[in-house]
Amino acid sequence: MSDQEPPDPAAALPDKEGGGGVLDRAHRALSVGIVSVVLLIAFEATAVGTAMPVAARELDGVPLYAFAFSAYFTTSLFGMVLAGQWADRKGPLGALAAGIGAFGAGLVVSGTAQAMWVFIAGRAVQGLGGGLVIVALYVVVSRAYEERLRPAIMAAFAASWVIPSVVGPLAAGTVTERLGWRWVFLGIPALVVLPLCLALPAIRRRASGPADPGASVASFDRRRLRLALGISVGAGLLQYAGQELRWLSVLPAAAGAALLVPAALGLLPRGTFRAARGLPSVVLLRGVAAGAFIAAESFVPLMLVTERGLSPTLAGLSLAVGGATWASGSFIQSRPWTEPYRERLMVLGMLLVAAAIAAAPSVLVQAVPVWVVAVAWGFGCLGMGMVISSTSVLLLKLSAPEEAGANSAALQISDGLSNVLLLAAGGAAFAALGGGSLGAAHGAVAGADGSHPGAFAAVFLPMACVALVGAWVATRVHPRVGGASGPGGEGSGGPAPEARASGGPAPEARASGGPVPATADVTGA
């Protein structure tokens, strides 16, 4: 495609201060339940990403390939804001249950689609559910885990990507080749049952209800919801304009920008777009990192299938090592000794991401072995594991309890919005340079089907430059000593007044993985 590391074995043991870990009696059921939710999303991200090139080809939708990913992130923007308000007012339980339901329904719509636009509509329903889930998960973490346990639970989220990263592409590729790509989408909803049974009862016990039971429950902030709708519709119009490269596309592009810009300014912390120190830079870094990585990763399987003739299974497996290295990066940031060096760790992580993205298109040269992509992506995922988990930890650290929800939603909005915009830009460049003519079958030779390797290079190289910008932003994530620390102050990076209304912590994504991650979509923490 819009959001990873092994849990610390010591985290389950009581510390010397008498507190427990993420697997002690008080937290065990909740930890297993919410990690199971992330496991579901991880299987979706890895499996769907593997099947996507075949689905796009069979539905005659390769020119709309980027849309199949960005539709998820577009609708997730609205879901994130809605979840922030829902969770702060009534607790995260309802938002999480509704999100899982929508996520499964979207998979069914895509799996039964007979046309590419219906397939994309299913991805949009999935995105709404993913947006609800990711913010609800962060609210759960904020309420149910003390600060010292949060790096460990984020690491556990990351660890849940390891097995899906290896098994997912292999299973999805086998199913795609033997039974057809539709069964990849239709089979995943069965996994919804386990997270529902494990997570929801534990959340009801430990993190249900409003944040302050004694306070009167405020109504939903309709202005903020309108801004969320504006940012989603605006992002969708910009994506459409990027795919339809005609003079008339200027109209939806202008309308999209007119909706998106003021909405983004109202929903993100003040100073985000100028990388103000503190929380604004944390929010911006999350978007830059996730957007550049996801936009590039979304085209890796398609490049390997169409330019190097790999099967969907092998193309998906080329990214499998990334699950383990992403988890390793998240594990590194969870160690207590790394805390004083978190900023440097994030800079290093972004440099690794930039190098991996820049190295990927080298396989467009036939003499370069395909395994170069797997090695490069392993290092890139290591960097993402350090960066994505660190942004989540820093966000909760820099947020007052009453602002955790709004700030978390802002983090995810930055993630999702960047995914949409950079996928739109990458998709436009891809289509403009002949990528839309791709129709390769198995074993196709590069260029034999009218494809143009330059179309892929036009996606990867600019994204590597974006990742380098992220390395600079990472130097600004800590507030100035003596800077403003009150809500909305530049030192703290607090959100604008209207951005504080929703409250509720931020989920992670790998987006796809993560998130941030993800091709995927959530909580790669």
Side-chain angles (χ1 to χ4, degrees):
M1 249 182 293
S2 169
D3 67 0
Q4 303 173 344
E5 87 149 24
D8 174 10
L13 301 176
D15 62 22
K16 294 181 180 180
E17 298 175 3
V22 296
L23 291 179
D24 63 11
R25 180 173 298 180
H27 296 92
R28 186 179 301 126
L30 178 62
S31 296
V32 172
I34 62 177
V35 168
S36 296
V37 173
V38 179
L39 188 68
L40 162 68
I41 293 170
F43 267 113
E44 181 275 339
T46 55
V48 168
T50 300
M52 195 74 78
V54 177
R57 191 169 59 221
E58 291 190 6
L59 294 174
D60 295 323
V62 171
L64 300 176
Y65 184 78
F67 244 144
F69 291 96
S70 63
Y72 181 102
F73 297 113
T74 299
T75 54
S76 71
L77 295 172
F78 180 78
M80 291 166 189
V81 177
L82 176 62
Q85 296 202 36
W86 190 345
D88 279 349
R89 285 156 179 76
K90 298 184 178 180
L93 186 64
L96 184 62
I100 292 176
F103 193 83
L107 285 166
V108 172
V109 172
S110 292
T112 56
Q114 300 299 317
M116 191 62 178
W117 280 110
V118 178
F119 181 90
I120 292 170
R123 293 286 291 165
V125 174
Q126 248 190 286
L128 178 63
L132 290 170
V133 168
I134 190 171
V135 173
L137 283 178
Y138 272 81
V139 174
V140 171
V141 171
S142 177
R143 292 191 186 182
Y145 296 87
E146 51 267 44
E147 184 176 335
R148 67 180 181 84
L149 293 179
R150 290 171 188 165
I153 193 64
M154 296 302 179
F157 283 170
S160 68
W161 282 81
V162 175
I163 294 177
S165 294
V166 176
V167 176
L170 179 61
T174 301
V175 170
T176 298
E177 294 171 13
R178 300 291 178 85
L179 301 177
W181 63 268
R182 296 182 185 278
W183 288 104
V184 174
F185 288 82
L186 297 176
I188 293 175
L191 299 176
V192 170
V193 177
L194 178 62
L196 283 176
C197 293
L198 289 175
L200 300 187
I203 293 172
R204 184 180 292 109
R205 290 192 301 270
R206 293 189 59 87
S208 61
D212 183 359
S216 59
V217 179
S219 59
F220 280 72
D221 185 342
R222 295 183 180 180
R223 178 179 179 277
R224 187 168 172 80
L225 291 176
R226 286 197 298 271
L227 289 175
L229 184 60
I231 203 172
S232 294
V233 174
L237 287 172
L238 285 175
Q239 172 71 16
Y240 176 78
Q243 292 293 133
E244 297 290 332
L245 299 179
R246 302 174 300 171
W247 283 110
L248 289 177
S249 297
V250 173
L251 296 178
L259 287 170
L260 187 147
V261 172
L265 291 173
L267 291 170
L268 297 179
R270 287 197 302 268
T272 296
F273 296 106
R274 53 187 172 84
R277 287 189 176 275
L279 191 57
S281 286
V282 174
V283 171
L284 178 60
L285 177 60
R286 176 58 165 265
V288 170
F293 187 81
I294 296 303
E297 187 179 57
S298 299
F299 283 87
V300 170
L302 187 65
M303 178 177 67
L304 295 177
V305 169
T306 59
E307 297 297 319
R308 296 302 297 265
L310 267 65
S311 68
T313 302
L314 291 177
L317 283 174
S318 68
L319 304 180
V321 69
T325 58
W326 189 307
S328 298
S330 185
F331 179 77
I332 291 170
Q333 68 78 39
S334 74
R335 311 313 302 157
W337 62 265
T338 64
E339 187 58 37
Y341 310 103
R342 189 173 293 279
E343 179 182 299
R344 297 180 188 178
L345 202 65
M346 297 167 80
V347 172
L348 173 61
M350 290 309 303
L351 292 176
L352 288 174
V353 171
I357 296 174
S362 65
V363 299
L364 293 169
V365 178
Q366 293 294 308
V368 176
V370 173
W371 55 258
V372 168
V373 169
V375 173
W377 225 247
F379 281 104
C381 287
L382 177 68
M384 284 295 287
M386 294 189 288
V387 172
I388 295 298
S389 293
S390 290
T391 57
S392 296
V393 171
L394 281 175
L395 177 119
L396 295 178
K397 182 177 181 179
L398 295 174
S399 299
E402 67 274 12
E403 295 177 346
N407 290 346
S408 296
L411 189 77
Q412 294 307 315
I413 289 169
S414 176
D415 188 321
L417 180 60
S418 179
N419 285 333
V420 171
L421 295 181
L422 291 181
L423 274 168
F430 182 72
L433 292 178
S437 65
L438 293 173
H442 265 351
V445 178
D449 59 347
S451 65
H452 198 304
F456 288 101
V459 173
F460 288 101
L461 299 183
M463 296 309 156
C465 294
V466 173
L468 287 176
V469 172
W472 171 76
V473 176
T475 66
R476 303 176 59 81
V477 295
H478 287 297
R480 287 190 183 93
V481 176
S485 60
E490 177 143 328
S492 72
E498 65 269 25
R500 289 192 218 118
S502 88
E508 293 228 34
R510 182 189 168 203
S512 223
V516 134
T519 79
D521 313 334
V522 252
T523 22

